[in-house]
Amino acid sequence: MIVFDLHCPHGHRFEGWFGSSSDYEEQQARGLVTCPECGSAEVGKAPMAPAVPVKGNQRSNTRPVQAPAESGDSMMAGGSIPPEVLKAMRALAEAQAKALKQSRYVGDKLADEARAMHYGDKDLEAIHGKATLKEAQELLDEGVPVAPLLAPFTPPDELN
């Protein structure tokens, strides 16, 4: 699969997924590629930076962000992020990372550990881990305070 950033003459930006470059060209020639916002079939590829892989031990946990469109729109269908939002997201990720350093990772035992603390079987402490949607809903139904992490997180047992 290949992903192209696409745009129409009305300034709408969006992604298109294709089996190959030739699949994109074939579908475009047949008029099958249209803007999801306005329906225009005049769709072109937006300039894209190449995805150049880096060495595994030099990867950054940040994701590249598309620059705002020239039209002055702060957020478009293609996914550009306004600088204020990007700043807030970085601050949130930093706050979460700080909180996780002061928390114990319990892996798949999150529901059991949280429930045990809630009912007084274990001392209260800050924990984080994994829970299914069903487990999280059951905890909330029981009055056990849980919340999802807001920024992506790599469990310590999956780090190099």
Side-chain angles (χ1 to χ4, degrees), residues 65-112:
V65 176
Q66 209 172 28
E70 291 177 18
S71 66
D73 291 346
S74 60
M75 190 155 191
M76 301 185 67
S80 63
I81 299 175
E84 313 81 51
V85 173
L86 183 58
K87 183 178 177 182
M89 290 171 62
R90 284 188 178 136
L92 177 66
E94 288 172 12
Q96 176 178 295
K98 185 177 177 182
L100 291 179
K101 285 182 182 178
Q102 300 169 2
S103 175
R104 183 170 60 94
Y105 180 70
V106 295
D108 293 331
K109 297 178 182 169
L110 179 71
D112 294 335

